[in-house]
Amino acid sequence: MEYYTRLLYKDKMHPEIYYSNLPIGQKIFLQEQLQYFGGDFDKLLEDIEKYAILPEVEDYEMAAVIRDYRKNN
């Protein structure tokens, strides 16, 4: 993320999203989804985990990563 872009979003993003190594487009998407969940980061992760294990998606690796993250934090 470029320096000026980081400054623009620093105070507007959840710290876990801001400091992640995701591309800026994904960070913005996650922040918008976080607002949908009323700022509850754990609910956002839970929702992403549930989505990842749907039969149509089957992204079990992502679900495992999120599960492990939630367990450790």
Side-chain angles (χ1 to χ4, degrees):
M1 188 175 354
E2 292 183 25
Y3 176 74
Y4 295 110
T5 306
R6 286 196 323 255
L7 284 178
L8 178 65
Y9 287 102
K10 183 172 176 104
D11 296 330
K12 297 178 182 173
M13 281 190 178
H14 188 278
E16 295 288 336
I17 296 172
Y18 180 78
Y19 291 111
S20 70
N21 59 355
L22 297 170
I24 187 65
Q26 289 180 353
K27 288 182 181 188
I28 293 169
F29 173 77
L30 287 174
Q31 185 62 37
E32 289 172 353
Q33 294 302 306
L34 183 63
Q35 292 171 354
Y36 173 76
F37 287 102
D40 189 340
F41 190 68
D42 195 49
K43 280 187 181 180
L44 173 64
L45 290 179
E46 181 181 348
D47 187 63
I48 294 171
E49 184 179 356
K50 286 179 182 176
Y51 176 78
I53 61 174
L54 288 174
E56 302 86 31
V57 179
E58 292 185 353
D59 192 353
Y60 301 118
E61 185 177 326
M62 176 59 73
V65 167
I66 293 171
R67 182 199 61 223
D68 293 344
Y69 177 85
R70 290 177 65 209
K71 234 187 248 186
N72 294 327
N73 290 322

